[in-house]
Amino acid sequence: MPSLGPVLLVGLSLGSMVALSWAQQFGHEIQGLALLSGSVGGVCPRRWRVSPAAAAAFAKVALTSKGADREAIILSITSAQTDVPHNAWARWCEIATQRPVSRRTMARQLVAAARFKPTLQPLGMPTLVLAGAKDKIVNPACAGRIAKALAAPVHIHPHAGHDLSLDAADWVVAELRAWAPSEIVTIPK
């Protein structure tokens, strides 16, 4: 299989845990790592990793069967926006109806996130940590702890929630563009 060349890996939430694990196990495949809205056991206290309000919302999602109702609950804890564009909302509801996430899969994802407790140390590759100050799931202080353990810069968006790609997409792109070594990636304007 031909090499894709240097790869910049960006992970959001549980995806940041997957990305970090990938970088630790297969660092030779990755030239840069950006972690968004993540948390790590052993570095971040349990009470910071999932807020009580988020835990209650996850339980409510598990008990809700209608896709649109689930999406409304999820959106209420992942976004700090008060008004999501209708076309995005309609598409999410359509996806939730066409490809519903089972309660079992949700439970497995939550368990995987709760168990994620790698040893953290600098990775020997450019690393960036981003978070939203209005995150209702993960305490944004986790970003500082992760960044310190990885010897990486950390940037906190003052108004974004957990889903940085929804709440502050332009900011995320600007941060990646400013941080990413030019030989790794060119992010189009």
Side-chain angles (χ1 to χ4, degrees):
M1 181 161 152
S3 172
L4 297 174
V7 175
L8 173 65
L9 190 57
V10 179
L12 171 69
S13 191
L14 179 59
S16 71
M17 296 177 207
V18 173
L20 178 57
S21 182
W22 184 353
Q24 289 179 321
Q25 294 177 54
F26 306 103
H28 63 280
E29 298 176 353
I30 301 167
Q31 291 292 318
L33 177 67
L35 305 173
L36 287 62
S37 302
S39 70
V40 174
V43 175
C44 307
R46 185 175 295 165
R47 68 185 185 279
W48 287 6
R49 297 190 68 208
V50 177
S51 72
F58 291 142
K60 191 173 178 181
V61 166
L63 298 172
T64 303
S65 58
K66 190 174 177 188
D69 294 341
R70 278 180 156 185
E71 289 302 310
I73 297 165
I74 292 167
L75 184 62
S76 75
I77 59 170
T78 58
S79 177
Q81 288 190 37
T82 56
D83 192 25
V84 174
H86 178 73
N87 59 342
W89 173 252
R91 182 68 180 128
W92 292 336
C93 291
E94 180 183 329
I95 292 168
T97 301
Q98 292 174 350
R99 295 177 193 92
V101 177
S102 71
R103 288 176 175 87
R104 184 176 183 183
T105 297
M106 271 189 270
R108 285 180 171 175
Q109 289 175 343
L110 291 172
V111 168
R115 289 182 177 168
F116 187 67
K117 192 176 179 179
T119 301
L120 288 188
Q121 59 189 19
L123 297 168
M125 69 181 68
T127 304
L128 175 66
V129 179
L130 302 176
K134 305 287 185 183
D135 193 327
K136 298 174 199 167
I137 299 174
V138 176
N139 187 318
C142 283
R145 294 255 180 118
I146 293 167
K148 183 177 180 182
L150 296 174
V154 61
H155 299 267
I156 309 291
H157 188 282
H159 308 294
H162 189 73
D163 190 343
L164 290 171
S165 59
L166 174 64
D167 288 357
D170 291 341
W171 178 81
V172 170
V173 170
E175 289 292 326
L176 292 173
R177 189 179 288 129
W179 161 79
S182 60
E183 70 273 9
I184 293 177
V185 67
T186 302
I187 301 171
K189 291 186 177 186

